[in-house]
Amino acid sequence: MRIIEAKNYDDMSKKAAEIIAAEVTLNPTCTLGLATGSTPVGTYQNLIKKYENGDLDFSQVHSVNLDEYKGLSGEHDQSYRYFMNTNFFNHVNIDKANTSVPNGLSEDAKEECAAYQALLERIGGADLQLLGIGGNGHIGFNEPSNEFKKGVHCVQLAESTIKANARFFETEEDVPKYAYTMGIGNIMNAKMILLLASGESKAQAVCDSFFGSITPQVQASILQLHPNVIVIADSDALSIAKEKGVF
Ligand code: F6R
């Protein structure tokens, strides 16, 4: 695992975009595993700039997203499909037919999980999986638990996650209580993982995940076992690891 310190959010976003751009340049038909949330927004903006400058071509790129809220349609402005369209896909030349996000409106949760799992198995793992991290160490919506779930599953969101995501909804009650997510096995299948973390609210999770023991109570800690992980964390996100003298 390589841990790169960025000065701040902007610096983290630039560095992350450089790594994704290198992947797309070297492997124009790559599959990118993508994330939503506040963390990757700046990275997507930098990738859009590179595309507008004529430096990147997404025409043959495929993508698979980590997760989606159960119960939200792709048109709902808080759905992750809508997020991806508005923050990234609408601004580059990726073919939307080649982009996949779980279907939040599936009638049958089991069937949706099986269908997304089958899709991921067909792909055989993303070439590069982009990740953010929750304040409790979650990746995708794999919340602290007694186990690492392998495949795609429907998960009840932790109270802390609902609270953290309430900022995007009118009221906390509006935040969906369930989501579809790739499992830890799906994430670990990626050839390369790029995890981003910015801000003091992530400092404990960064310290526990990458400098502590591997435990399902801190789901991101499993990444210590992956052979090709790059973490780009800004100084605030590394502050606790630094205070403890482990970074
Ligand atoms: C998003 C996702 C989540 C977020 C995490 C951090 O697709 O899977 O694990 O990466 O909740 O969210 P932000 O970036 O909003 O702090």
Side-chain angles (χ1 to χ4, degrees):
M1 172 175 295
R2 272 168 289 178
I3 302 185
I4 298 171
E5 181 174 2
K7 289 195 257 317
N8 49 36
Y9 180 85
D10 286 347
D11 188 31
M12 175 196 78
S13 304
K14 277 195 195 128
K15 286 179 160 65
E18 291 298 338
I19 292 170
I20 297 169
E23 176 68 36
V24 172
T25 302
L26 289 168
N27 183 6
T29 61
C30 66
T31 297
L32 298 177
L34 297 176
T36 59
S38 310
T39 309
V41 170
T43 302
Y44 293 138
Q45 285 168 355
N46 278 284
L47 288 171
I48 292 165
K49 263 188 234 150
K50 287 177 191 297
Y51 165 72
E52 287 172 347
N53 291 341
D55 295 331
L56 272 184
D57 174 15
F58 292 92
S59 61
Q60 297 177 82
V61 170
H62 287 62
S63 74
V64 281
N65 260 76
L66 280 169
D67 42 19
E68 178 60 288
Y69 286 120
K70 182 173 185 286
L72 297 193
S73 85
E75 276 82 54
H76 189 290
D77 65 0
Q78 291 308 325
S79 74
Y80 287 171
R81 161 54 77 182
Y82 186 91
F83 174 102
M84 288 311 302
N85 287 347
T86 51
N87 284 286
F88 189 39
F89 299 152
N90 288 350
H91 308 284
V92 296
N93 67 336
I94 198 163
D95 180 350
K96 284 221 189 92
N98 293 337
T99 67
S100 299
V101 182
N103 176 5
L105 282 192
S106 272
E107 301 268 303
D108 185 322
K110 259 195 190 155
E111 267 177 27
E112 181 55 28
C113 292
Y116 209 63
Q117 177 69 26
L119 172 95
L120 297 175
E121 281 170 15
R122 269 201 309 279
I123 289 164
D127 292 293
L128 184 157
Q129 176 67 55
L130 180 63
L131 295 176
I133 184 169
N136 61 7
H138 74 214
I139 47 177
F141 272 128
N142 294 279
E143 302 282 14
S145 145
N146 294 326
E147 58 176 338
F148 291 110
K149 281 247 171 76
K150 223 173 144 195
V152 177
H153 56 287
C154 184
V155 68
Q156 182 165 17
L157 303 186
E159 205 48 49
S160 61
T161 303
I162 292 174
K163 282 201 162 38
N165 290 0
R167 66 191 193 278
F168 301 116
F169 292 82
E170 266 182 31
T171 69
E172 204 174 300
E173 281 67 56
D174 292 335
V175 184
K177 307 290 178 284
Y178 292 87
Y180 295 109
T181 183
M182 282 191 199
I184 293 296
N186 305 120
I187 293 171
M188 292 291 276
N189 256 341
K191 295 182 187 69
M192 174 183 178
I193 293 178
L194 176 61
L195 183 141
L196 310 181
S198 170
E200 271 174 39
S201 64
K202 303 296 171 69
Q204 192 64 55
V206 165
C207 186
D208 293 346
S209 302
F210 309 124
F211 303 97
S213 43
I214 298 169
T215 163
Q217 294 301 332
V218 184
Q219 294 270 319
S221 63
I222 193 87
L223 299 177
Q224 292 180 41
L225 298 179
H226 191 284
N228 192 7
V229 176
I230 300 177
V231 174
I232 306 180
D234 66 12
S235 305
D236 287 344
L238 282 165
S239 56
I240 294 180
K242 283 179 167 181
E243 262 162 45
K244 287 196 168 166
V246 287
F247 179 78

